[in-house]
Amino acid sequence: MGIKRQNNQLELAFMTESRSESPRAVMEGTEVPVAKHDTKRPAEATTRLMEEVCQRENLRKALRRVKKNRGSPGVDGMTVQQLPGYLCKHWPTIKEHLLRGTYKPQPVKRVEISKPDGGVRRLGIPTVMDRFIQQAILQVLQGRWDSTFSESSYGFRPGRSAHQAVAQAQIYLAEGYSWVVDIDLEKFFDRVNHDMLMGRVAKRVSDKRLLKLIRALLNAGVMEDGLIVATDEGTPQGGPLSPLLSNLMLDDLDRELEKRGHRFVRYADDCNIYVRSERAGQRVMRSITGFITKKLKLKVNVSKSAIDRPWRREFLGFSFTSGREPKRRISPQALKRFKEHIRGMTRRLGRWSIEQMVRHLTRYLLGWRGYFGFCQTPSVLRGLDSWIRRRLRNVVWKQWKRGWTRYEELRKRSVGNRLAAQTAGSCHGPWRIARSPALSLALPNAYFISLGLPELEHARKA
């Protein structure tokens, strides 16, 4: 009854809009229709975008998306679960501030996470309320802006994916563009110039209240070690609106590359340009680096950028085979990260039963398979399946510990007396024993399948 009453109160709070406002069809989250790239027609500007942001249906969809995404609390400690109750009580006041242009976002909470390739990624976590408002803004702006972005831009866009970006890169290789200018922007999200960004927003938005709110979200500051630090550049990673603003900022780069006739693929701040020769690549690198530095006021990470063969580079976790018909393969770096993660998980779960361990591994493996199953090298996936089973056998052998226990466990699993005795008394280490005939008989592939262990090879995408 309490939940139903809360939902009714929230519905009433969201129904304070005028009936004369015609609702726009904005699909849930960021899933909006994608039109073809139109560089000549900017997205329609309007002076009443804030009313659209505050429309009931837009707010309901924003709330659903924020609840679905979950996420950590911001500086005020409010959780996603507490947000509906807070809105029931305070939404009319919040809406009034939004429509008057007086809403003040709170600072974001600084969170640092380790990058897979070393270093630290600095995230800025807005409060749940500010995430809700950003999501509502995103749903209104994304539908207007997305159709004006480049066909070669794939990151953070509805109807587009990393797989599509990798497949397009593969097409360029097959066409003979077998050199890549791999450009990495140094700390892009931390270094976006606010004035330049807002200038681009202002060309598309004439609602001064919304412009003021977006500027306030950018300048809200960061809380670090209990102190609020002012921010005069950057878009905080962690807010729903930041990806759209980043695409707007880098749209100038896309247009410049298109104007020059380059074949390129961009996913967020990761841009690959494909050319026919190393010399052409050097020329492109010099000129585009100058454009990024002078025109966009951004910095190219020299240590991570390069002119190289695509099969020696990583792009969104993938690489390619060489030859006339390049195939998608999982990059060596991604394979290394995968094995390190599995090793860490199996070490941490070492005291669990094999059934519990498989259940815990399954979620990670299914997610990994869903992404990297896009590769075209089934032998690699087959090898990983074998390696995972060997890893599990290795853990089980360690759990059995003593020679007599190992002998008894092997005999229980229909291993012959002589083979069980030889294996249990072996001086070899667990990793070598994990490949022994005895353990293959005691813990066969079919056994792991019966426990629900996903097979990476069998879900390979075409």
Side-chain angles (χ1 to χ4, degrees):
M1 288 294 292
I3 295 174
K4 187 175 181 180
R5 187 182 302 115
Q6 186 185 79
N7 288 339
N8 289 337
Q9 290 173 343
L10 187 57
E11 185 77 12
L12 289 171
F14 284 170
M15 286 180 66
T16 55
E17 296 88 2
S18 167
R19 293 287 184 181
S20 65
E21 296 171 1
S22 58
R24 290 183 62 89
V26 182
M27 299 177 70
E28 182 174 349
T30 59
E31 298 300 320
V32 295
V34 180
K36 289 190 176 181
H37 182 33
D38 183 358
T39 58
K40 296 182 180 180
R41 179 183 58 82
E44 177 190 358
T46 174
T47 58
R48 293 184 61 81
L49 282 178
M50 192 62 81
E51 279 74 17
E52 286 193 42
V53 170
C54 294
Q55 279 183 353
R56 181 180 68 217
E57 191 58 29
N58 189 52
L59 296 171
R60 289 172 61 185
K61 290 174 180 177
L63 181 60
R64 280 201 298 269
R65 177 59 59 176
V66 170
K67 289 168 68 176
K68 184 178 180 179
N69 289 345
R70 301 180 183 178
S72 303
V75 296
D76 61 355
M78 184 190 298
T79 65
V80 171
Q81 292 75 21
Q82 294 170 323
L83 178 60
Y86 185 85
L87 288 172
C88 286
K89 295 180 180 179
H90 301 285
W91 175 247
T93 303
I94 296 168
K95 180 188 174 185
E96 184 178 357
H97 283 298
L98 288 171
L99 293 178
R100 287 184 177 181
T102 57
Y103 181 83
K104 293 184 178 180
Q106 296 190 63
V108 300
K109 182 171 71 175
R110 176 69 75 209
V111 176
E112 295 185 349
I113 60 173
S114 299
K115 291 183 179 181
D117 55 352
V120 173
R121 176 177 286 111
R122 302 176 62 173
L123 301 182
I125 308 298
T127 64
V128 175
M129 174 55 68
D130 287 342
R131 293 209 296 271
F132 167 66
I133 291 172
Q134 285 192 43
Q135 180 66 33
I137 297 171
L138 172 68
Q139 291 167 179
V140 171
L141 296 184
Q142 181 111 51
R144 283 178 160 78
W145 295 3
D146 193 80
S147 63
T148 70
F149 291 152
S150 171
E151 289 292 316
S152 298
S153 167
Y154 292 88
F156 308 125
R157 295 183 62 188
R160 288 172 170 260
S161 68
H163 286 171
Q164 292 174 336
V166 172
Q168 184 59 59
Q170 184 180 10
I171 290 172
Y172 290 145
L173 295 187
E175 291 174 348
Y177 295 87
S178 56
W179 285 86
V180 62
V181 181
D182 187 350
I183 296 178
D184 183 271
L185 299 179
E186 186 172 305
K187 298 181 180 178
F188 167 72
F189 286 93
D190 295 332
R191 292 187 171 173
V192 171
N193 184 286
H194 285 179
D195 290 335
M196 294 184 68
L197 176 57
M198 288 307 302
R200 286 158 174 76
V201 175
K203 290 179 180 179
R204 297 166 178 256
V205 173
S206 57
D207 189 326
K208 293 182 179 179
R209 299 164 300 176
L210 187 53
L211 289 172
K212 183 179 178 182
L213 177 55
I214 294 174
R215 171 74 80 166
L217 289 166
L218 293 173
N219 294 340
V222 176
M223 181 171 283
E224 295 184 275
D225 300 323
L227 298 175
I228 297 177
V229 180
T231 50
D232 55 6
E233 63 178 4
T235 61
Q237 286 182 269
L241 196 55
S242 290
L244 178 63
L245 295 178
S246 70
N247 273 333
L248 177 62
M249 188 69 187
L250 291 175
D251 189 53
D252 283 15
L253 174 60
D254 297 340
R255 291 174 185 269
E256 181 67 19
L257 291 171
E258 287 178 341
K259 187 173 71 174
R260 299 184 185 191
H262 290 310
R263 288 156 177 79
F264 71 99
V265 178
R266 183 177 65 79
Y267 193 95
D269 57 341
D270 195 350
C271 183
N272 280 5
I273 307 166
Y274 295 89
V275 295
R276 291 188 181 276
S277 68
E278 184 177 12
R279 186 175 179 181
Q282 292 170 346
R283 186 170 59 251
V284 170
M285 177 67 85
R286 282 194 303 270
S287 60
I288 293 302
T289 297
F291 176 84
I292 291 171
T293 304
K294 295 174 183 177
K295 298 293 185 179
L296 301 183
K297 307 299 181 185
L298 297 169
K299 186 176 180 180
V300 173
N301 190 327
V302 178
S303 63
K304 292 186 178 180
S305 300
I307 303 145
D308 206 345
R309 294 291 195 178
W311 45 88
R312 292 199 288 259
R313 303 294 294 177
E314 179 182 28
F315 181 53
L316 302 176
F318 290 91
S319 186
F320 303 95
T321 60
S322 58
R324 292 184 178 180
E325 297 183 3
K327 293 183 178 181
R328 301 182 296 270
R329 66 185 179 95
I330 305 168
S331 73
Q333 301 94 315
L335 289 173
K336 181 181 178 181
R337 291 192 293 267
F338 173 79
K339 288 192 172 184
E340 287 175 350
H341 192 85
I342 294 297
R343 287 190 189 100
M345 290 183 73
T346 51
R347 275 195 296 266
R348 190 170 66 252
L349 306 175
R351 294 185 179 181
W352 289 17
S353 69
I354 186 65
E355 294 82 6
Q356 290 174 312
M357 202 179 306
V358 167
R359 283 198 298 270
H360 198 82
L361 284 171
T362 293
R363 177 176 293 183
Y364 173 75
L365 291 174
L366 288 175
W368 192 92
R369 184 178 74 179
Y371 185 76
F372 286 103
F374 190 60
C375 75
Q376 296 173 309
T377 49
S379 61
V380 174
L381 297 179
R382 189 160 54 247
L384 290 176
D385 280 329
S386 177
W387 180 84
I388 292 168
R389 290 190 293 263
R390 184 180 178 186
R391 183 75 194 171
L392 291 171
R393 293 182 183 113
N394 172 74
V395 173
V396 171
W397 189 249
K398 288 180 179 179
Q399 289 178 338
W400 290 345
K401 292 184 180 179
R402 296 178 179 83
W404 180 254
T405 303
R406 288 169 172 172
Y407 172 79
E408 288 291 319
E409 292 292 342
L410 291 174
R411 292 291 290 135
K412 282 182 192 177
R413 291 163 172 79
S414 303
V415 178
N417 180 56
R418 183 176 179 182
L419 181 58
Q422 288 177 341
T423 307
S426 173
C427 62
H428 296 305
W431 184 243
R432 182 164 176 177
I433 293 294
R435 290 187 66 182
S436 68
L439 239 59
S440 295
L441 287 170
L443 303 171
N445 296 353
Y447 171 70
F448 292 110
I449 293 172
S450 71
L451 295 180
L453 184 70
E455 290 187 288
L456 304 179
E457 181 193 3
H458 290 173
R460 186 175 62 87
K461 297 180 181 179

